[in-house]
Amino acid sequence: MKPLNAIRMSGREVLPLVEGGKGVSVSTGESSGAWAAAGGVGTFSAVNANTYDDNGALVPMIYRGKTRRERNEELIEYSIKGGIDQTKIAYEKASGQGRLHMNVLWEMAAVEEILHGVLGQVSELVDGITCGAGMPYKVSQIAAQYKCYYYPIVSSARAFNALWKRSYNRNPEWLGGVVYEDPWRAGGHNGLSNVEDPNVPQDPYPRVLEIRKLMNQLGLNDVPIIMAGGVWYLREWSDWIDNPELGPIAFQFGTRPLLTQESPISDQWKQKLLTLKKGDIYLNRFSPTGFYSSAVENDFLIELKERNARQVAYSVEAMGDHSEPFPVGARGRLVYLTAHDKKMAESWTAQGYTQSMRTPDSTLIFVAPEIEDVILKDQIDCMGCLSACKFSNWSQGETGTTGHKADPRSFCIQKTLQSISHGGDVNKELMFAGHGAYRFSEDPFYKNGFIPTTQQLIDQLITGD
């Protein structure tokens, strides 16, 4: 293992070890502050972060607004307050060491308003902004306004080139680094393009090299690239370290910091991580964002897979093969299925999946009555956590809607992520994880259920293990 030399990030020499930001109260001030205190770059999330009252008690996110727009305004208030609270906690915990970055998603609702709301009050405590899940053109302008470095998350040189040409070329001095997030290996939402096969992972080296060559052409030779997704043992990346072809490189760890003493996730979640096996984590496309995402297979994901499998195309009029009438809804309005699909629909109905729900793609899915009740309630209770949501058809634009039907094949991502991050059953909620999470059960470092402090984890990472 080569020596791990310091790298300059956000105006300071630090270890080239970056904590990956995980939203909805998973990367907190406690965890990121501890990472920075150990000499690395800690990343707390401002995506629906926890907020506290004057006595330090957690403030539950209760929405009282009667309309989606009113509830969205409440969510923005919670988000700004939570971002400020987590910034202050991280800063105090870091004790002046390392660097502190704030992570946001460009596709979260009102991201610009939230960034201004947080940085307008605590910008002196934040060293950098990490931003992905979309094309964050305006993040450079916002970062420059508050004299803060920005770190776009991309999955290709093409994406970074588009960002540079449209916006980043105006504020190059505040570009702290470029995060390459491997779309086949990283946890959470992934940036796979339509021409990339989700089942055929590509070698990250040539993709990162392509980004570096582009950056060199733009005069960004000394700007670091942060490799994110699939990083576990640094010894497996030794040929990347001090590699003149790649230039300055840092490594981001999103999954391993979950299993630390400072990590805020529940004990049930931590114990689940220690039992995962290869194949338990995979890409799916159920997210209401429309992005692929990487999550652990559990009852939650299985129900979504089965729900989507019980699906047939329909026509509102008899035409061609769609000649068989089938009643839909409480009023029994007729749609038309193929003969084969009608048999399938009748079979599912006989099994108890009696409720047929229309999708935006002129298909029907078949669910049990209790599942339909949950879907409809969650769609009604939408608080607009995304800029645009397939599941509820919310949009933060003037109309408040995407213009498409709500899609019952998806789910309320805010609800399930809030639940799992606050002690919900890990078998019944969405459990994001990087594809290497199964290595917890194989890595001797975690033998006998050992859960390290953040400092112990970083000390271990430096050794190459």
Side-chain angles (χ1 to χ4, degrees), residues 15 194 206 222 237 271 280 394 410:
L15 290 170
N194 291 330
D222 297 328
W237 301 81
Q271 293 305 312
D280 285 347
W394 153 268
S410 188

Side-chain angles (χ1 to χ4, degrees), residues 55 68 74 154 195 232 289 418:
N55 297 317
R68 288 181 174 182
E74 293 176 80
V154 300
V195 299
W232 193 271
T289 62
Q418 284 287 353

Side-chain angles (χ1 to χ4, degrees), residues 180-253:
Y180 170 75
E181 187 174 75
D182 190 289
W184 291 275
R185 298 169 179 85
H189 290 106
N190 304 76
L192 277 170
S193 71
N194 291 330
V195 299
E196 291 166 332
D197 189 335
N199 299 311
V200 183
Q202 295 181 16
D203 181 357
Y205 189 94
R207 294 171 69 92
V208 172
L209 180 58
E210 187 179 6
I211 295 173
R212 172 55 70 196
K213 288 179 177 178
L214 171 63
M215 292 173 66
N216 289 348
Q217 292 171 13
L218 300 172
L220 305 172
N221 308 58
D222 297 328
V223 175
I225 295 176
I226 297 96
M227 174 62 210
V231 182
W232 193 271
Y233 297 127
L234 283 179
R235 55 180 162 79
E236 297 172 340
W237 301 81
S238 59
D239 59 332
W240 288 50
I241 299 171
D242 297 330
N243 183 327
E245 190 175 46
L246 292 177
I249 290 283
F251 298 93
Q252 180 169 299
F253 295 84

Side-chain angles (χ1 to χ4, degrees), residues 4 116 328 434:
L4 202 60
H116 284 296
V328 172

Side-chain angles (χ1 to χ4, degrees), residues 21-37:
K22 299 167 286 294
V24 193
S25 311
V26 176
S27 289
T28 62
E30 287 287 337
S31 64
S32 60
W35 194 278

Side-chain angles (χ1 to χ4, degrees), residues 305-325:
K305 288 201 296 185
E306 293 177 346
R307 185 195 307 178
N308 279 259
R310 294 189 300 271
Q311 184 170 188
V312 295
Y314 72 87
S315 174
V316 294
E317 297 178 355
M319 59 176 63
D321 292 340
H322 287 76
S323 58
E324 302 299 313

Side-chain angles (χ1 to χ4, degrees), residues 372-441:
E372 182 187 48
D373 290 344
V374 171
I375 291 171
L376 294 176
K377 184 177 188 306
D378 288 348
Q379 289 172 337
I380 292 169
D381 291 345
C382 173
M383 74 294 291
C385 68
L386 300 172
S387 61
C389 177
K390 287 171 44 181
F391 175 68
S392 68
N393 87 352
W394 153 268
S395 172
Q396 67 181 9
E398 291 184 8
T399 63
T401 175
T402 62
H404 301 289
K405 290 181 180 178
D407 196 336
R409 295 169 296 187
S410 188
F411 58 92
C412 177
I413 196 166
Q414 171 76 195
K415 173 187 171 183
T416 186
L417 293 181
Q418 284 287 353
S419 177
I420 195 171
S421 66
H422 294 93
D425 189 337
V426 297
N427 292 312
K428 299 186 182 302
E429 306 293 350
L430 180 65
M431 184 180 177
F432 280 145
H435 286 247
Y438 72 91
R439 302 183 80 170
F440 281 122
S441 64

